[in-house]
Amino acid sequence: MKGEVVVGGVRFANPVLAASGTFGYGVEFKGIANRLGGIVTKGVTLEERAGNPPPRIAEFPSGIVNSVGLENPGLIKFKRQILPKLEKIKTRILVNVAGFEVDEFIRLAEGLEEENIDGLELNLSCPNVSEGGVVFGQSPQKVEEITRAVRKRTKKLLVVKLTANFVDPRETAKAAEAAGADAVTVINTLYGLILDDNGRPFLGGRTGGISGPAIKPFALFCVDRVAGAVKIPVIGCGGIISGRDAFDFLCAGARLVQVGSANLTAPNGALRVLQELKIIISEKRIKGWESIVGTARRG
């Protein structure tokens, strides 16, 4: 299987990326990263964050619930300590950025504009502190406002990561598209609660985000729904742990896919997904990635 995948003018060697928060910053697994289409770094915020208290991860039969809390060194340390190491990675690099005010997204974009990265992924699943904890991504108006503000300040590939928690991602995807996004990532984790043996919240952050095989059918539904509503590329994410999963997301309309929880099981999770996907494509004698994108919608 040969051929690149082009999104927003950026050429990816193949359609499989490592999802944010599941692959560190990529520098820990350079050999694996270099064989993927790209990596999305762990989320970066303007200021350093310690994250939530432990425990942060809980397993259940078909996935995990995590409550890491955006632990990261902040923009300044990220630029000084991590970006120089990322220059040694020979694959596409997107930096996931998260803010708690609109201005924080703007400052993050401005702070990374001159750096040697391929693009930004806006994490619009963070609490909007100034509006009583409402999640940015649940408001099409806020999605459009933030995306437009960042678009004015960066020429890099701009991807907007959308939530499907209590909102129709088709509407927020259309808002991101109207504001100039090059692509949207669908979906992020879903809200979850794990209780201990005494009936109390187990995770240090009380609630967390569900990922893994349990959310695949819903994530696939969302990708299909969004792909039919926007013209910009969709990046599929949610429960992809095998080549067949990745194939399904491409058929549902995703141009690229992100592998998350599989990387937590084994660092080569995304690479294994890519290898399995290539076998499927070869067996079906498919000549190009683009030829299978959206086949579910074409019947």
Coordinates of all heavy atoms in Angstrom, one line a residue, residues 11-17 33 35-39 91-93 274:
R11 N 1.4 16.7 4.2 CA 1.4 15.3 3.7 C 1.8 14.3 4.8 O 2.9 14.5 5.4 CB 2.4 15.2 2.5 CG 1.9 16.1 1.3 CD 2.9 15.9 0.1 NE 2.4 16.6 -1.0 CZ 1.5 16.2 -1.9 NH1 1.0 15.0 -1.7 NH2 1.1 17.0 -2.9
F12 N 1.0 13.4 5.0 CA 1.2 12.3 6.0 C 1.6 11.0 5.3 O 0.9 10.7 4.3 CB 0.0 12.1 6.9 CG -0.4 13.3 7.7 CD1 -1.1 14.3 7.2 CD2 0.0 13.3 9.1 CE1 -1.5 15.4 8.0 CE2 -0.3 14.4 9.9 CZ -1.1 15.4 9.4
A13 N 2.6 10.4 5.7 CA 3.1 9.2 5.0 C 2.1 8.0 5.0 O 2.0 7.2 4.1 CB 4.4 8.7 5.6
N14 N 1.3 8.0 6.0 CA 0.2 7.0 6.1 C -0.9 7.6 7.1 O -0.7 8.6 7.7 CB 0.7 5.7 6.7 CG 1.4 5.8 8.0 OD1 0.7 6.0 9.0 ND2 2.7 5.6 8.1
P15 N -2.0 7.0 7.1 CA -3.2 7.6 7.9 C -3.2 7.3 9.4 O -4.2 7.7 10.0 CB -4.4 7.0 7.2 CG -3.9 5.6 6.8 CD -2.5 5.8 6.4
V16 N -2.2 6.7 10.0 CA -2.3 6.3 11.4 C -1.4 7.3 12.2 O -0.2 7.4 12.0 CB -1.9 4.9 11.6 CG1 -1.9 4.5 13.1 CG2 -2.8 3.9 10.8
L17 N -2.1 7.9 13.2 CA -1.4 8.8 14.1 C -1.5 8.3 15.6 O -2.5 7.6 15.9 CB -2.0 10.2 14.1 CG -1.6 11.2 12.9 CD1 -2.1 10.6 11.6 CD2 -2.3 12.5 13.1
A33 N 7.5 6.2 16.5 CA 7.0 7.4 15.9 C 7.3 7.7 14.5 O 6.5 8.1 13.7 CB 7.4 8.6 16.8
R35 N 7.7 5.7 12.1 CA 7.0 4.8 11.2 C 5.5 5.1 11.1 O 4.8 4.5 10.2 CB 7.2 3.4 11.6 CG 8.7 3.0 11.6 CD 9.0 1.7 12.3 NE 8.4 0.5 11.6 CZ 8.5 -0.7 12.0 NH1 9.1 -1.0 13.1 NH2 8.0 -1.7 11.2
L36 N 5.0 6.0 11.9 CA 3.6 6.4 11.9 C 3.4 7.6 10.9 O 4.4 8.2 10.6 CB 3.1 6.8 13.3 CG 3.2 5.7 14.4 CD1 2.8 6.3 15.7 CD2 2.3 4.5 14.0
G37 N 2.2 7.8 10.6 CA 1.9 9.0 9.8 C 2.2 10.3 10.6 O 2.5 11.3 10.0
G38 N 2.0 10.2 11.9 CA 2.3 11.4 12.7 C 2.0 11.1 14.2 O 1.5 10.0 14.5
I39 N 2.3 12.1 15.0 CA 2.0 12.0 16.4 C 1.3 13.3 16.9 O 1.6 14.3 16.3 CB 3.2 11.7 17.3 CG1 4.2 12.8 17.2 CG2 3.9 10.4 16.9 CD1 5.3 12.7 18.2
T91 N 8.6 12.5 11.6 CA 7.3 12.3 11.2 C 6.5 13.5 11.5 O 7.1 14.5 12.0 CB 6.6 11.1 11.9 OG1 5.4 10.7 11.4 CG2 6.4 11.4 13.4
R92 N 5.2 13.6 11.1 CA 4.5 14.8 11.3 C 4.1 15.0 12.8 O 3.8 14.0 13.4 CB 3.2 14.8 10.5 CG 3.4 14.8 9.0 CD 4.2 15.9 8.5 NE 4.4 16.0 7.1 CZ 5.1 16.9 6.4 NH1 5.8 17.8 7.1 NH2 5.2 16.8 5.1
I93 N 4.3 16.2 13.3 CA 4.0 16.5 14.7 C 3.0 17.5 14.8 O 3.1 18.7 14.3 CB 5.3 16.9 15.4 CG1 6.4 15.8 15.3 CG2 5.1 17.3 16.8 CD1 7.8 16.2 15.8
L274 N -1.3 0.1 12.3 CA -0.9 0.4 10.9 C -0.5 -0.9 10.2 O -0.9 -1.0 9.0 CB 0.3 1.4 11.0 CG 0.9 1.7 9.6 CD1 -0.1 2.3 8.7 CD2 2.1 2.6 9.8

